[in-house]
Amino acid sequence: GQNIDQPTEMTATEGAIVQINCTYQTSGFNGLFWYQQHAGEAPTFLSYNVLDGLEEKGRFSSFLSRSKGYSYLLLKELQMKDSASYLCAVSDSNYQLIWGAGTKLIIKP
Amino acid sequence: GAVVSQHPSRVICKSGTSVKIECRSLDFQATTMFWYRQFPKQSLMLMATSNEGSKATYEQGVEKDKFLINHASLTLSTLTVTSAHPEDSSFYICSASSLENSYEQYFGPGTRLTVT
């Protein structure tokens, strides 16, 4: 079956760095997405990785290792507004998104 | 670019009535649209995939006659929840992808449906 695993919840301190991991097992691979979702809102796109390596975009970076079926989202200089759920999703061989359950990130002052 | 709108953003209806939710791609042609449902503290559940001009493909366990999907044009898809019941109360989100960027889905803001 297809499976995406990510931690349910993480806590970090304002100004610090946090890494959210995602492991996946899917039928085919056409890229991995990270989305941010605030409570009561739709997800917003953060990053897309299809090749191995690190993609940096401002305070957010995303890493992919296809051989290990592994990705992480790195958030630097955390701000209170970063408190949200972070969803990992993999595009499978049919270009359908397989979603993880999301990681709720709590930022403390 | 790549903006997707949904209407209404919130709707409250009585049990037994039908509700229509619209999803529009504002600045691109959406060859494929997706409808998701999300329960509190859970991930998105894909309900169906629709391509313009053809019948929607429903995921296993999703009732076709209850959740009617119409993708009549390249910029509009509608989801109609027929004979709604309280258990249909949920957050419904649509997304769209274009032929040029088929790998990426652009999400609408979602519709909060409450059935009383």
Side-chain angles (χ1 to χ4, degrees), chain B residues 33-62:
Chain B
M33 285 187 166
F34 306 84
W35 286 96
Y36 293 89
R37 182 174 179 177
Q38 188 177 34
F39 294 100
K41 299 183 180 180
Q42 294 188 29
S43 188
L44 284 76
M45 182 195 80
L46 179 65
M47 299 174 67
T49 304
S50 73
N51 293 296
E52 184 264 339
S54 61
K55 289 184 179 180
T57 302
Y58 289 81
E59 295 300 299
Q60 196 171 7
V62 178

Side-chain angles (χ1 to χ4, degrees), chain B residues 1-71:
Chain B
V3 177
V4 176
S5 71
Q6 266 183 257
H7 177 79
S9 57
R10 288 179 180 271
V11 58
I12 301 172
C13 70
K14 292 186 177 180
S15 188
T17 60
S18 294
V19 174
K20 181 186 281 189
I21 302 170
E22 291 187 350
C23 176
R24 294 181 184 271
S25 58
L26 298 185
D27 50 3
F28 68 101
Q29 294 187 325
T31 46
T32 305
M33 285 187 166
F34 306 84
W35 286 96
Y36 293 89
R37 182 174 179 177
Q38 188 177 34
F39 294 100
K41 299 183 180 180
Q42 294 188 29
S43 188
L44 284 76
M45 182 195 80
L46 179 65
M47 299 174 67
T49 304
S50 73
N51 293 296
E52 184 264 339
S54 61
K55 289 184 179 180
T57 302
Y58 289 81
E59 295 300 299
Q60 196 171 7
V62 178
E63 297 177 59
K64 301 177 184 182
D65 296 331
K66 180 161 187 65
F67 299 99
L68 301 178
I69 291 172
N70 187 339
H71 192 164

Side-chain angles (χ1 to χ4, degrees), chain A residues 7-26:
Chain A
T8 305
E9 187 174 298
M10 297 182 72
T11 303
T13 305
E14 190 177 13
I17 299 173
V18 71
Q19 177 175 311
I20 303 174
N21 296 324
C22 171
T23 57
Y24 64 89
Q25 293 171 313
T26 57

Side-chain angles (χ1 to χ4, degrees), chain A residues 33 35 37 40-43 45 48 87 95-97 99-101, chain B residues 36 38 43-44 46 49 59 91 93 103-105 107-109 112:
Chain A
F33 295 82
Y35 286 88
Q37 186 177 27
E41 298 179 13
F45 172 79
Y48 171 69
L87 306 174
Y95 292 97
Q96 257 195 21
L97 285 181
W99 293 87
Chain B
Y36 293 89
Q38 188 177 34
S43 188
L44 284 76
L46 179 65
T49 304
E59 295 300 299
F91 192 43
I93 307 172
Y103 68 87
E104 185 165 352
Q105 294 182 26
F107 283 86
R112 174 74 59 191

